[in-house]
């Protein structure tokens, strides 16, 4: 009976391919769009995840996400250092400054100032040079994506790719000379702006003159110290906001979830993919069943039970669903692999396979139910009708 069910399904090659393509399209949309969404949202807190050494981030109480900088006075650093349970606390500057390139154009950069003595909070991976090279005169470290693209030197060929910055090249940050002493690999930011690292004191000289320039205080807890208790102690003593690394990432993630249209836009795309896939697969599967209705009637007239007919239809649905799901997920993985070096955000966790698998399963159940109802209500006498 299983063989007969497969022969019925594949007898009309056009309808069979139509069902598979409909499910492939639905699987592709329900996997690719959420993968881009997750990749984009992970970039919103990528700066926090790259700075892995501190346990706690201290900032102004009105900060809503990592790029919502509300500067503090430098004296706050010493207040945090005096709190019980703090092993060390280091300053960090983070701000947007304009870099003047060799051809006179300007590019906004994320400038990060690290503690002059310890250089805590530096880039996670160095490709050229070392973090200690920041102690050299006018030294800065540039991320590899920015060095290759937005901060690159203009190509001598019109329309050609920029010439990447190299160690030893120079640029201007707010009319101050900066020498590239290293190239780093960092996670792309939400705005995909170049990231430039330097020392805290040098970053303050680059930044416009303000009374407050301290962006964050990075805190390391003493061994055995409870992070939650220490954050509450910092808040109570200083009046500042204090978050663990995970809490600050969650705060940033929630801000973008609730204050931007990104979730709605991607949600609509996924919903449309589900609806279109269900419509194509359901209609085509139902039409295929209608064409084989006389064959189902013959089987019923021969004494085949409704349960066996139900099993045949479910086998057809499972087969096309598995093929369509596999093709859709495979195309998504191929798409992500081909875009791995582009600016496109893409994150493909295993949970996404379960999400898209559940969506394709619902489509297959919907398509199978349409056919099952028709077959169960079928009268065997249809065989003898003209």
């Amino acid at each position: 009976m299983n063989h007969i069910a497969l022969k019925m399904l594949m007898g009309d090659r056009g309808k069979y391919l139509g069902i598979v393509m409909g499910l492939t399209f639905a699987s592709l949309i329900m996997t690719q769009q959420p993968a881009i969404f997750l990749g984009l949202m992970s970039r919103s807190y990528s700066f926090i995840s790259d700075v892995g050494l501190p346990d706690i981030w201290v900032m102004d109480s009105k900060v809503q996400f990592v790029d919502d900088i509300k500067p503090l006075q430098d004296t706050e650093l010493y207040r945090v250092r005096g709190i019980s349970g703090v092993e060390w606390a280091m300053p960090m500057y983070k701000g947007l400054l304009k870099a003047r390139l060799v051809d006179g154009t300007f590019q906004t950069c994320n400038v990060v100032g690290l503690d002059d003595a310890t250089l805590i909070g530096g880039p996670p991976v160095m490709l050229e040079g070392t973090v200690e090279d920041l102690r050299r005169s006018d030294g800065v470290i540039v991320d590899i994506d920015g060095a290759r693209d937005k901060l690159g030197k203009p190509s001598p060929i019109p329309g050609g790719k920029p010439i990447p910055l190299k160690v030893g090249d120079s640029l201007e940050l707010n009319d101050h000379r900066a020498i590239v002493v290293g190239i780093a690999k960092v996670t792309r930011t939400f705005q995909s702006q170049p990231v430039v690292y330097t020392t805290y004191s040098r970053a303050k000289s680059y930044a416009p003159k303000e009374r407050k320039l301290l962006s964050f205080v990075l805190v390391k807890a003493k061994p055995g110290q409870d992070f939650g208790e220490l954050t509450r102690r910092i808040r109570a003593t200083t009046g500042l906001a204090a978050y663990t690394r995970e809490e600050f990432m969650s705060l940033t993630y929630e801000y973008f979830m609730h204050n931007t249209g990104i979730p709605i836009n991607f949600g609509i795309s996924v919903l449309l993919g589900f609806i279109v896939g269900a419509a194509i697969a359901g209609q085509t599967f139902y039409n295929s069943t209608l064409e084989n209705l006389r064959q189902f009637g013959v089987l019923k007239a021969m004494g085949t039970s409704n349960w066996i007919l139900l099993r045949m239809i479910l086998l057809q649905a499972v087969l096309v669903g598995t093929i369509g799901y596999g093709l859709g997920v495979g195309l998504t993985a191929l798409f992500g692999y081909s875009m791995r070096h582009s600016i496109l955000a893409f994150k493909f966790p295993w949970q996404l396979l379960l999400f898209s698998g559940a969506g394709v399963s619902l489509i297959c159940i919907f398509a199978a139910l349409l056919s099952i109802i028709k077959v169960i209500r079928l009268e065997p006498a249809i065989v003898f009708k003209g």
Side-chain angles (χ1 to χ4, degrees), residues 298-309:
V298 170
L299 293 175
K300 263 197 168 185
M302 294 172 61
T304 305
S305 66
N306 284 333
W307 167 247
I308 294 178
L309 297 179

Side-chain angles (χ1 to χ4, degrees), residues 372-385:
I372 287 170
I373 294 173
K374 187 69 175 178
V375 170
I376 288 179
R377 292 177 177 175
L378 176 66
E379 293 293 335
I382 192 175
V383 178
F384 306 105
K385 294 180 179 179

Side-chain angles (χ1 to χ4, degrees), residues 37-144:
F37 169 74
L38 292 176
L40 193 61
M41 295 307 295
S42 66
R43 287 186 181 180
S44 66
Y45 54 79
S46 62
F47 179 75
I48 308 171
S49 59
D50 280 352
V51 183
L53 190 56
D55 298 319
I56 296 172
W57 292 64
V58 181
M59 66 209 74
D60 186 274
S61 59
K62 300 300 182 181
V63 168
Q64 302 178 78
F65 59 102
V66 66
D67 292 320
D68 182 30
I69 306 298
K70 294 178 172 59
L72 308 170
Q73 291 184 347
D74 284 353
T75 53
E76 299 292 353
L77 173 64
Y78 304 105
R79 295 181 65 196
V80 175
R81 284 176 173 172
I83 295 174
S84 174
V86 174
E87 182 173 350
W88 50 254
M90 299 301 168
M92 171 178 279
Y93 170 87
K94 185 176 187 293
L96 295 175
L97 299 179
K98 286 188 176 180
R100 181 184 175 92
L101 309 183
V102 293
D103 61 348
T105 58
F106 289 88
Q107 171 62 50
T108 302
C109 301
N110 269 311
V111 177
V112 182
L114 313 177
D115 176 62
D116 294 51
T118 62
L119 300 177
I120 286 175
V125 179
M126 291 296 300
L127 302 178
E128 296 182 44
T130 64
V131 179
E132 288 73 19
D133 290 332
L134 286 178
R135 297 194 177 99
R136 293 162 56 182
S137 178
D138 299 326
V140 296
I141 294 174
V142 181
D143 76 291
I144 182 65

Side-chain angles (χ1 to χ4, degrees), residues 151-164:
L151 294 180
K153 292 176 287 187
S155 172
I157 304 173
K161 292 184 177 180
I163 301 173

